[in-house]
Amino acid sequence: MKSPGIVLLIGSLLAPPLGSSNDAWQTGRIVDVQKNVTTKTLYWLVNTPVTQDETTYTVSVHLKDKVFTGAYEAGRVQGAPPEEWVKDRPVKVQIDDDLMYLRAPAGNQFKLNIVKRKSAAMMRPVTAAELAEAYASPAANPDDSVTGFIPPATGSATAPTPRQQPASAAQPAAAPAAASKPAAEPAGTIAVRSTPYLADVYVDGQNMGYTPAKLSLPPGKHAVRFEKQGYKTWSKEITLTAGSELLLDATLEKK
């Protein structure tokens, strides 16, 4: 007879570990996807810096009554996020402590470090049809489609011919040439950085994402504001001219 201790030990070894269930995937909705490009100096060659651009993506997801924002650096393993990830798009998500996993429509997974969590209103439920559409395989588009052709009569060897309009049908008048528009004035560029990084950036009251980032703005005056939980707000008014480049580096003070 096996002792109760041995039975309990064997049972615990055979039991599946917590959190290993395949049902851990939940359904959320994409809130926002931001791309931030920073230039890093690798070394100096005489008086010329050798630089490398680093691309960071931040993805915000609404899950139940919270919004999780995760970030990852693009590379060989994880490239750019799928183009389908637009606002309100359903997405399968897993939260594991400070990590967030997102499943792309193609089936591959993205691993992000959670940099922000905030409470929100309860997410609008995702219907089965929405989820099926978000993860549906692309429809096939066969090359032998005969749309717009009339099939030949049974037994006829004549090839299909394009549909013809009746002779009596009036041909549409040619549209007048559009008036030429003046070329738009080139935008200015502002590179925003902060200490600490991943601060919210607001330009003229509109949330533009997180630091570090490069922003294209129309020429003129703009009010720039940096905010981060636990730190005092930092703000400054700038003036951009067409095609100009400006660096704004903010040091936030703790409250």
Side-chain angles (χ1 to χ4, degrees):
M1 173 183 285
K2 295 181 180 178
S3 67
I6 296 177
V7 173
L8 290 175
L9 177 60
I10 295 175
S12 63
L13 291 176
L14 295 177
L18 295 176
S20 64
S21 172
N22 291 330
D23 297 332
W25 288 102
Q26 303 180 72
T27 304
R29 290 185 182 273
I30 296 291
V31 175
D32 188 31
V33 178
Q34 293 283 341
K35 176 183 179 181
N36 299 314
V37 180
T38 56
T39 302
K40 179 180 179 182
T41 301
L42 300 179
Y43 55 88
W44 288 78
L45 186 60
V46 189
N47 293 326
T48 304
V50 178
T51 62
Q52 175 180 301
D53 286 343
E54 294 183 349
T55 302
T56 302
Y57 289 96
T58 54
V59 183
S60 298
V61 176
H62 193 174
L63 181 62
K64 296 182 179 178
D65 60 345
K66 287 183 173 56
V67 173
F68 297 88
T69 300
Y72 73 93
E73 185 176 323
R76 294 183 179 179
V77 178
Q78 297 186 146
E83 294 181 358
E84 294 88 348
W85 285 358
V86 296
K87 183 176 177 61
D88 211 38
R89 179 85 173 190
V91 63
K92 294 182 180 179
V93 56
Q94 279 192 37
I95 303 297
D96 185 6
D97 293 331
D98 292 330
L99 296 176
M100 177 167 64
Y101 298 89
L102 300 178
R103 177 170 290 176
N108 55 313
Q109 297 180 22
F110 284 77
K111 178 181 177 182
L112 301 86
N113 295 309
I114 297 176
V115 297
K116 190 174 182 180
R117 310 167 190 247
K118 67 178 182 180
S119 299
M122 185 60 68
M123 182 192 76
R124 181 167 58 86
V126 177
T127 65
E130 283 184 295
L131 189 61
E133 181 183 358
Y135 287 90
S137 301
N141 186 19
D143 295 334
D144 56 350
S145 172
V146 292
T147 303
F149 289 86
I150 301 176
T154 305
S156 171
T158 306
T161 57
R163 293 184 184 270
Q164 301 289 335
Q165 282 192 336
S168 59
Q171 297 296 326
S180 58
K181 296 181 180 180
E185 195 172 8
T189 302
I190 175 175
V192 291
R193 300 187 305 199
S194 68
T195 304
Y197 71 104
L198 290 176
D200 291 279
V201 183
Y202 294 85
V203 177
D204 300 328
Q206 182 179 357
N207 192 325
M208 304 297 287
Y210 307 92
T211 60
K214 285 186 179 180
L215 309 175
S216 294
L217 302 174
K221 291 186 178 181
H222 299 280
V224 184
R225 188 173 82 250
F226 295 79
E227 291 184 359
K228 188 174 179 68
Q229 188 173 4
Y231 292 83
K232 296 180 180 179
T233 300
W234 190 98
S235 60
K236 186 174 183 179
E237 187 176 90
I238 63 169
T239 301
L240 281 179
T241 57
S244 65
E245 295 185 5
L246 182 65
L247 171 63
L248 202 56
D249 197 345
T251 300
L252 307 184
E253 298 180 7
K254 287 189 176 182
K255 291 184 178 179

